[in-house]
Amino acid sequence: MRIAIFPGSFDPFTLGHMDILRSALKMFDKVIVAVGYNSAKSGFFPPELRVRIIQDAVQGMENVEVCSYRGLTVNFCKEKGAGWIIRGLRTTTDFEMESVIAQANRKMAPEILSIFIPAGHEYSFISSTVVRDVLNNGGNARCFLPQNVDIEHYLKLREQ
Ligand code: ADP
């Protein structure tokens, strides 16, 4: 079975991430969307809520698993029996940063391959940073987020 990991901060998961996930599902039997986090960086949404947001986003989709992990992505891949790491590319800056990470991962685990998927042009301007800015300023971020996600609900949970 061809299993890929789609790792990221996903703070929160956007339509851009969804587009990459849909493309990845065409290539793999199973894609694990994995929220990576470290205790030093708490983020906008706590990791548990980020996972729940993704679970809402992928509701009804087959061959997707959602989870969170700590530590090195390559170690998590081995734990899950995944041979591929999926990353999305929007800009040349993304490419430069992703190349460095991919080289390091390849050095540590040559059997795991990084796959870069270009952003769909209609999503290439979407980032979690923009979504957080909009939410922080009381704006409506619906147009950047998957349809099933009730972000107001998660904003309330976040404040509790
Ligand atoms: P990280 O902090 O690990 O970069 P992100 O949640 O910001 O986590 O992004 C996860 C992955 O999704 C990265 O590979 C990023 O380049 C990609 N990505 C983010 N936004 C988009 C988008 N709009 N279109 C395509 N890929 C995207």
Side-chain angles (χ1 to χ4, degrees), residues 6-10 16-17 20 87-88 90 94 98 119 123 126:
F6 180 26
S9 309
F10 304 122
H17 295 131
I20 299 296
R87 296 288 286 176
R90 286 159 294 183
D94 270 355
E98 295 300 335
Y123 305 113
I126 300 177

Side-chain angles (χ1 to χ4, degrees), residues 17-60:
H17 295 131
M18 189 63 141
D19 180 55
I20 299 296
L21 172 62
R22 284 193 196 283
S23 301
L25 282 167
K26 291 181 186 148
M27 292 185 278
F28 296 98
D29 300 312
K30 179 169 152 187
V31 178
I32 302 172
V33 184
V35 176
Y37 66 102
N38 54 52
S39 31
K41 240 172 67 179
S42 61
F44 184 77
F45 289 103
E48 316 81 70
L49 290 188
R50 292 186 227 164
V51 166
R52 284 173 59 186
I53 290 170
I54 303 170
Q55 282 167 338
D56 289 354
V58 305
Q59 207 178 20

